[in-house]
Amino acid sequence: MLSSYTCFLRGLLLLIAVVFFARMVGAAQAAPLATTSDCTFTPTQGGSATLIHAQIDQWFSSAVVSVGFAVPKPVGELQGAHRAADDPQALQPLTPPLATMQPRNGHAEATFRVPTNLSAGKQLPGRSLYLVCMVNGQIMMGDGAGPALFTLTPSRLPVTGLSLVPVWLPFAMSGIILLIAGGRLKRRSRCGCGGISPAPGEP
């Protein structure tokens, strides 16, 4: 009985260690440490009422940072200059700021929802829509990633805006794996947990 319990406990601890390591690696890849001033948004797709998370790191100023949408400037306003589509100088704010952030020690966060319509009652454009940070009305994205291209979809994402997979699904799968592992270890324990069986006639 003790041998069976020991086998099960070892398997359980090993499974927990593997799951924990995988989650830590995933978190590290999803949120790398910022080494330059950066303004980022998550997610970069969704529909009306999708919750957007904005974040600045290693920011260069203590001035209030506004966040919102921007679109390309009309060709006539570029004065013949050829700029990339996501160049901050080639974009103009589309709506009044949807949220503001006050940097503290170079860091700040804010959340806002994708509006259904613009302030004038018009719908959001379906193409060439960017998420931007602004300081005193000027688009500023720091030295990291530039304006984030936003893909407008017919339906909104969940409140987290990260995934359509239910939050409880990973835990349910972990529970099923534990049950399967426990059953296999229990069957193995009947054979002495892989030990050598006594020869016939031996006590």
Side-chain angles (χ1 to χ4, degrees):
M1 182 66 179
L2 181 60
S3 176
S4 174
Y5 177 77
T6 302
C7 288
F8 176 76
L9 184 59
R10 288 178 180 175
L12 178 61
L13 292 175
L14 178 60
L15 182 60
I16 292 175
V18 171
V19 173
F20 178 77
F21 178 76
R23 290 177 64 88
M24 290 294 292
V25 171
Q29 293 177 345
L33 295 176
T35 56
T36 59
S37 57
D38 198 19
C39 172
T40 56
F41 297 89
T42 305
T44 55
Q45 64 175 347
S48 174
T50 296
L51 190 66
I52 305 294
H53 177 257
Q55 178 174 317
I56 56 176
D57 288 296
Q58 303 292 331
W59 201 245
F60 50 83
S61 170
S62 60
V64 174
V65 178
S66 303
V67 292
F69 286 106
V71 293
K73 292 179 180 179
V75 177
E77 294 187 17
L78 296 178
Q79 299 179 350
H82 296 283
R83 300 184 182 277
D86 59 351
D87 188 330
Q89 296 186 23
L91 301 174
Q92 62 183 6
L94 179 62
T95 61
L98 300 176
T100 58
M101 301 182 283
Q102 178 61 65
R104 296 184 183 278
N105 298 322
H107 176 82
E109 299 181 41
T111 56
F112 60 94
R113 292 189 181 278
V114 176
T116 302
N117 297 307
L118 303 177
S119 57
K122 297 181 180 179
Q123 294 184 344
L124 288 171
R127 300 176 59 185
S128 302
L129 187 63
Y130 293 85
L131 289 164
V132 296
C133 283
M134 296 167 283
V135 178
N136 296 325
Q138 300 295 319
I139 298 176
M140 294 186 179
M141 302 299 296
D143 299 325
L149 180 63
F150 186 80
T151 303
L152 195 63
T153 60
S155 60
R156 69 182 184 184
L157 293 177
V159 174
T160 58
L162 296 177
S163 174
L164 296 176
V165 178
V167 176
W168 50 264
L169 184 58
F171 298 99
M173 294 180 64
S174 298
I176 294 174
I177 293 173
L178 287 174
L179 290 175
I180 295 175
R184 291 184 177 180
L185 289 171
K186 186 175 180 181
R187 288 195 297 269
R188 288 184 58 189
S189 67
R190 295 175 182 175
C191 299
C193 195
I196 301 175
S197 302
E202 293 184 3

